[in-house]
Amino acid sequence: MTDTQVAEIATSRRREATRQRLLDAAAEVFAEVGLDAASVEAICERAGFTRGAFYSNFATKDELFLELAGRVSRERVAVVTERVAELARDGVEITAQSALEMVQLVLGETGDDRLGILLMSEIRNHALRDPALAAAHLAQDDELRRSVAQIIADIGDAGGLSLRVPPEEAAGLMLTVWESATVRATMAGLDHEQVRGLTNAQLAGVAQLLIEPR
Amino acid sequence: MTDTQVAEIATSRRREATRQRLLDAAAEVFAEVGLDAASVEAICERAGFTRGAFYSNFATKDELFLELAGRVSRERVAVVTERVAELARDGVEITAQSALEMVQLVLGETGDDRLGILLMSEIRNHALRDPALAAAHLAQDDELRRSVAQIIADIGDAGGLSLRVPPEEAAGLMLTVWESATVRATMAGLDHEQVRGLTNAQLAGVAQLLIEPR
DNA sequence: GTCTATAGACAGATAGAC
DNA sequence: GTCTATCTGTCTATAGAC
């Protein structure tokens, strides 16, 4: 390996760190004031850089937002798929009233924080007007649904309970209710724990609806 | 009545018309580009006024947005409550498979257009960061839910079918699914009819879940 | 010493408010 | 139509990592 290659790696390491810090700062600022109201200046200030660093790393604010949106969605999917993996690893062992278990598994520690909720809302809002963003958003949403569907199917098999709709539909409904509940609770000004409690309750109710009564 | 009084009424009439035109124009522009990106200039141009007229009627852009948000929510509620009234007037007459009827009644012709969807998303997004807007939004949402719950209860009584959850909960779920479906379909770039079709299908599915199997 | 990521000033454009 | 504030994106000099 030549000296220049070593240098390149070192610099790109530093560069990558700068990128990440800018993305983290942007996430905060976007969540606080929204994409449009967030100035590049404010993002840089939060990250501890000046605008030179910004434009050295991103062509425009939109480009940064796009990358951030992707990151957020991927993280969301990752958390849930991790749960699927856990489930498969430990071997599922669920009893009759697994409605609540299902709930816990779907959102588990995913107790999305306020920042995450605000960011998702911001992304959704912009996706309604930006076809490219919309496509990416919908694709990642589908992936999330498939992951949740997998969990639900596994639980159904293991617990010996039958669902009134296919796992995919059940997953879609659960996710819809989950999002709606978190947004409403956050809007009502509740704190993290309360948001989670309310969301759990809502999800438990839907889970009961989804289970075939015997 | 004196001449000045007549003049005053005429003036306030004209003023009111100006306000409404500004609000209509703002609704369009906000839906198109979002609250922040919508310049007062653009709103005035759309309405056929100059900025002078704007600041004569509204103190700030935010004030106008607040008023518009209220108007949009009230309209939404009005459409649904009107349906409740119709229902009571005509006398309900629904048969076994009233799942779809329920759907039709809930959204009926409410096939919210693209503009309405974008506006609601914009309002929701801002309500997450503005407590005052959030309170108003949640209150109107509750009112809407109560109206729908009323419809559902009526249908339940008339059709002799029992629901697996209280009407309020059923209404909440239907509305959640309704909103989610319209947003997703709109995001996918579907046209008005397709959005409605997809939303109807989703709602029909949920209605089936809500009905007690016999 | 070289190289480049970053700082910070700068220009052009456009916003809101009156 | 004006005035002030602010924002974006560019450009150049430099600090600091190798």
Side-chain angles (χ1 to χ4, degrees):
Chain A
M1 201 183 251
T2 70
D3 281 3
T4 49
Q5 274 175 328
V6 171
E8 265 168 25
I9 289 169
T11 39
S12 67
R13 273 257 171 76
R14 200 157 67 99
R15 229 181 137 64
E16 187 51 34
T18 302
R19 280 181 81 85
Q20 289 307 320
R21 270 173 65 191
L22 281 169
L23 282 166
D24 290 341
E28 289 178 23
V29 181
F30 286 156
E32 280 167 21
V33 300
L35 170 60
D36 292 308
S39 69
V40 173
E41 177 71 43
I43 294 168
C44 294
E45 191 182 353
R46 181 73 57 106
F49 292 116
T50 60
R51 302 178 46 256
F54 184 96
Y55 286 105
S56 162
N57 280 283
F58 301 97
T60 68
K61 192 168 68 168
D62 280 338
E63 188 188 295
L64 175 142
F65 181 68
L66 209 66
E67 186 162 326
L68 184 62
R71 198 178 81 166
V72 170
S73 296
R74 275 195 302 276
E75 273 170 15
R76 252 182 125 194
V77 175
V79 170
V80 172
T81 46
E82 168 57 25
R83 246 150 241 297
V84 181
E86 271 176 35
L87 207 68
R89 209 183 307 128
D90 306 345
V92 198
E93 185 185 335
I94 312 239
T95 57
Q97 42 110 299
S98 58
L100 269 174
E101 315 283 325
M102 214 191 292
V103 171
Q104 300 296 353
L105 280 161
V106 169
L107 43 84
E109 294 305 305
T110 315
D112 231 4
D113 48 337
R114 182 177 164 77
L115 191 142
I117 292 163
L118 289 169
L119 253 183
M120 285 309 292
S121 174
E122 193 68 24
I123 292 169
R124 199 188 85 148
N125 197 43
H126 278 83
L128 275 169
R129 297 192 200 90
D130 178 345
L133 194 55
H137 184 65
L138 287 174
Q140 247 137 359
D141 235 49
D142 278 349
E143 203 178 324
L144 190 58
R145 177 159 59 221
R146 273 194 297 278
S147 291
V148 175
Q150 185 58 246
I151 303 179
I152 292 176
D154 287 354
I155 295 177
D157 292 350
L161 49 83
S162 60
L163 296 173
R164 301 177 74 200
V165 297
E168 286 262 328
E169 268 182 56
L173 194 58
M174 296 282 278
L175 282 169
T176 294
V177 170
W178 172 77
E179 204 216 342
S180 166
T182 50
V183 167
R184 284 185 67 83
T186 302
M187 213 179 272
L190 306 184
D191 67 34
H192 186 60
E193 278 311 310
Q194 290 172 309
V195 169
R196 193 145 110 188
L198 254 175
T199 306
N200 258 303
Q202 293 261 329
L203 280 172
V206 178
Q208 284 297 350
L209 281 179
L210 288 168
I211 295 172
E212 195 78 63
R214 34 179 106 202
Chain B
M1 201 181 255
T2 68
D3 280 4
T4 48
Q5 276 176 327
V6 171
E8 263 169 27
I9 289 169
T11 314
S12 66
R13 275 255 170 77
R14 201 155 66 93
R15 230 183 133 63
E16 190 50 35
T18 303
R19 278 181 80 84
Q20 290 307 320
R21 270 173 64 190
L22 280 168
L23 283 166
D24 290 340
E28 289 178 22
V29 181
F30 286 154
E32 280 166 20
V33 299
L35 170 60
D36 294 306
S39 68
V40 173
E41 175 71 44
I43 294 167
C44 294
E45 191 183 354
R46 183 75 57 104
F49 294 116
T50 60
R51 276 168 299 164
F54 183 96
Y55 285 104
S56 161
N57 280 282
F58 301 96
T60 67
K61 192 168 73 167
D62 280 338
E63 187 188 296
L64 176 142
F65 182 67
L66 208 66
E67 185 162 329
L68 184 62
R71 196 178 82 167
V72 168
S73 295
R74 276 194 302 276
E75 272 170 16
R76 251 181 125 195
V77 175
V79 169
V80 172
T81 46
E82 167 58 25
R83 245 150 243 295
V84 181
E86 272 178 33
L87 207 67
R89 207 182 309 128
D90 305 347
V92 199
E93 185 185 336
I94 312 240
T95 57
Q97 42 109 298
S98 58
L100 269 175
E101 315 284 325
M102 215 190 293
V103 171
Q104 301 295 353
L105 279 162
V106 171
L107 42 85
E109 293 305 306
T110 316
D112 229 3
D113 47 338
R114 182 176 165 76
L115 190 141
I117 292 163
L118 289 169
L119 253 183
M120 284 309 292
S121 174
E122 192 69 22
I123 292 169
R124 199 188 85 146
N125 197 42
H126 278 83
L128 274 170
R129 295 191 201 91
D130 178 345
L133 195 54
H137 185 64
L138 287 174
Q140 247 137 358
D141 235 49
D142 277 350
E143 203 178 324
L144 191 57
R145 177 158 59 220
R146 273 194 296 277
S147 291
V148 174
Q150 185 59 249
I151 304 178
I152 292 176
D154 288 354
I155 295 177
D157 292 349
L161 49 83
S162 60
L163 296 174
R164 302 177 74 201
V165 296
E168 286 262 327
E169 268 182 57
L173 194 58
M174 297 283 279
L175 282 169
T176 294
V177 169
W178 172 77
E179 204 216 342
S180 166
T182 50
V183 167
R184 283 185 67 84
T186 303
M187 212 180 274
L190 306 185
D191 67 36
H192 187 61
E193 278 312 310
Q194 290 172 309
V195 170
R196 194 144 110 187
L198 254 176
T199 306
N200 258 302
Q202 293 260 331
L203 280 174
V206 177
Q208 284 297 348
L209 280 180
L210 288 168
I211 295 172
E212 194 77 64
R214 32 179 113 201

